[in-house]
Amino acid sequence: RTPDILGKNVTIHLGGRTWYRYSFFDVGGNSLRATKLVYKINQHLSVRISVRNVFEWQTIEQMAQYINQMEQQVNQSIVKATEKEYYPISSAQMRMYIMSMKAGEELTYNMSGLFMLEGALDQTRLDAAFQQLVDRHESLRTAFKAIHGEPKQIIYPEVKFVIESIQAVEEEVEDQVEQFVRAFDLGQAPLMRAGLIELRQDCHVLLVDLHHIIADGLSVQILMTELGQLYREEKLPPLRIQYKDYAEWQQFQLHSDWMKKQEQYWLEVFSEKIPLLELPIDYERRESPRYEGDLLEIAVNEELVISLRKLEAQTGATLYMILLAAYTILLSKYSGQEDIIVGMPIAGRTHAELEPVMGMFVNTLAVRHQPAADKTFAAYLLEVKEHMLNAYENQDYPFEELIKKVDLNKDVRRNPLFDTMFVLQNSGPSEMHMDGLTCKPVAPNNRVSKFDLTLYVTESDQQIDAAFEYSTILFEKTTIAAMSQHLLLILTTICCEPHIKINQIKFPEEDMNEGTLTDLIEMDFF
């Protein structure tokens, strides 16, 4: 048992050891889990701590001591919206709606998944499970229509859901997936479709496609977890609130004092001239946005993973912060700029009651960094850590509201504020068991890139998987391959020499002083 926390004993069952004295980050904690921990503590203990506090009080024992001294606060529940014909949309949905209208028939905002089902499938139970999901989550019965010039949510009391039956042999699956993923009409519910391909009696492919306006990454996890539970005919607890309740609550919160304080923080960050990232590109930027893209995986070997873990322990920064610092150094070296803005998605479910609700909650943090050449990496990493902690403390302010209020370069060929993102993902369960049926996700390459360049990193206990998603309208694959090698070189260098100056981190061709980057690639230098 830990010390009492506000009169509540907390029992830790982890191998009989005093785990409450271990650092949160030593037992698998990271920035994403810290955010979730914060809203769980705030909900159950009626206090208000921040992500910064988790970094300051890393053990449960330290947290208990500080929380005991805090005044209890009444955590306001999200009030259920009164029933009406239509409801307001959230800030994230507003941006998604506008961008979807601009994209037209493009598939930029489709979220598609492919799952292998191995074993004896009971299609009647699968049909019933999907229908129960649609009945359970209002987001799956929501359409969007402009009313008096403003997009609104219209929630239908009932929507009939039918799984599409697709005839194909194994060699045709890829072609069938491409045909299955198609544009949605936002005015028609449901904004989800599912398809089933029978390869053999004991082997099927399940296709799922949703529009991003009704779902985010965590929503997909909820969808598949509950699909398995409902297929197993388990009873799920009722949802107290739905997405429309959150949307109305958010609109009210936008006018609160604490939200105004967060707004001031972000306006201060972007009060000076906002830079455009000018990476060297292989093709001239088109006059109208195009979203064709591809993925290039980056091999992070075991030795480098071990070195990065050691650097975490030495610096007190998370893996996320170390990788972000390295990524911004890479962008700085390629662009020659020392003022870099990177976009980072954040779960946006800052209220504990939102955890089981399907919907579009993701917010975007636009974080500004200054990887000046004369800074040491160690000093720069401390800056990155501080920038991220400040961003987490002000994460409730909607990105969509920020871009309305800052002085942006109105270039239709560019994204507002930034053209590159950094995304850290926790690896989820690799498979799910459903009464004699095994469901294995298969990661599809949708060949879409919403931004010029995005670095995806998936973290697990033993490994780090990374990939660049890049615009094929702007970059050749060989250019991105070179970038990936340079990123690995930066990571290796900072692990060996954390106090190295940024301008002393050299790429091989800089030391050779001959040949262009393209020449080196063509010579198989990489």
Side-chain angles (χ1 to χ4, degrees), residues 39-72:
Y39 70 65
K40 287 281 191 182
I41 288 175
N42 289 344
Q43 179 197 26
H44 291 291
L45 300 180
S46 300
V47 292
R48 190 168 185 83
I49 70 168
S50 67
V51 173
R52 182 184 291 275
N53 295 143
V54 177
F55 279 81
E56 294 168 343
W57 320 325
Q58 291 191 11
T59 69
I60 294 177
E61 187 173 47
Q62 289 172 332
M63 286 182 187
Q65 291 168 354
Y66 281 98
I67 290 172
N68 261 330
Q69 300 167 24
M70 298 176 76
E71 288 186 16
Q72 285 191 269

Side-chain angles (χ1 to χ4, degrees), residues 455-484:
L455 175 60
Y456 285 93
V457 177
T458 303
E459 176 188 8
S460 62
D461 292 337
Q462 305 299 326
Q463 66 183 59
I464 296 169
D465 297 315
F468 273 128
E469 180 183 271
Y470 64 97
S471 168
T472 52
I473 301 298
L474 299 177
F475 297 107
E476 287 276 4
K477 187 174 185 177
T478 49
T479 300
I480 304 303
M483 269 190 159
S484 71

Side-chain angles (χ1 to χ4, degrees), residues 125-321:
R125 283 167 68 183
L126 186 66
D127 291 338
F130 266 107
Q131 186 62 60
Q132 287 175 72
L133 281 172
V134 173
D135 296 341
R136 174 176 170 79
H137 293 280
E138 286 183 355
S139 291
L140 301 179
R141 291 181 275 114
T142 299
F144 298 83
K145 294 181 182 176
I147 298 173
H148 307 305
E150 288 284 330
K152 302 290 183 183
Q153 298 185 69
I154 298 173
I155 301 164
Y156 294 94
E158 293 181 1
V159 169
K160 180 69 174 170
F161 190 79
V162 178
I163 300 175
E164 300 175 22
S165 180
I166 303 168
Q167 303 301 315
V169 294
E170 201 156 342
E171 295 76 21
E172 299 170 335
V173 168
E174 193 171 331
D175 290 339
Q176 290 297 329
V177 172
E178 285 192 20
Q179 293 177 40
F180 175 78
V181 179
R182 52 198 187 273
F184 284 100
D185 176 359
L186 295 186
Q188 298 292 324
L191 296 176
M192 175 180 76
R193 61 176 67 96
L196 192 66
I197 303 172
E198 181 178 350
L199 299 180
R200 298 183 302 277
Q201 192 173 0
D202 62 349
C203 183
H204 295 74
V205 178
L206 175 65
L207 309 175
V208 180
D209 191 22
L210 302 100
H211 196 286
H212 210 341
I213 201 168
I214 62 155
D216 54 19
L218 186 53
S219 296
V220 176
Q221 291 183 32
I222 293 168
L223 178 81
M224 295 310 296
T225 299
E226 292 189 352
L227 180 70
Q229 292 171 316
L230 292 168
Y231 183 87
R232 293 192 296 267
E233 300 180 336
E234 296 175 15
K235 188 167 183 178
L236 302 182
L239 297 172
R240 191 190 74 79
I241 56 172
Q242 295 276 354
Y243 190 85
K244 70 174 187 302
D245 306 313
Y246 160 76
E248 284 209 347
W249 175 79
Q250 186 198 53
Q251 295 305 306
F252 176 77
Q253 294 298 317
L254 287 177
H255 305 289
S256 65
D257 291 340
W258 67 278
M259 192 67 83
K260 292 292 181 187
K261 187 177 177 182
Q262 292 196 23
E263 178 181 88
Q264 282 304 116
Y265 167 78
W266 290 110
L267 293 180
E268 179 64 27
V269 168
F270 294 104
S271 59
E272 296 180 3
K273 186 178 178 182
I274 296 171
L276 276 176
L277 182 62
E278 298 293 354
L279 293 174
I281 54 180
D282 297 308
Y283 305 107
E284 190 173 344
R285 204 175 282 274
R286 306 283 181 91
E287 286 304 313
S288 57
R290 295 270 299 277
Y291 301 104
E292 290 95 325
D294 205 351
L295 273 176
L296 186 139
E297 293 184 358
I298 305 170
V300 184
N301 63 41
E302 185 180 352
E303 185 180 349
L304 181 53
V305 173
I306 292 169
S307 298
L308 287 167
R309 295 297 185 197
K310 288 179 180 175
L311 190 59
E312 273 189 286
Q314 291 168 7
T315 61
T318 63
L319 176 69
Y320 184 84
M321 295 167 182

Side-chain angles (χ1 to χ4, degrees), residues 13 48 95 101 125 137 186 225-226 235 292 353 367 381 453 492 510:
H13 298 286
R48 190 168 185 83
R95 174 125 188 102
M101 291 297 106
R125 283 167 68 183
H137 293 280
L186 295 186
T225 299
E226 292 189 352
K235 188 167 183 178
E292 290 95 325
E353 289 184 296
V367 188
L381 180 59
L453 188 66
T492 303
E510 292 180 83

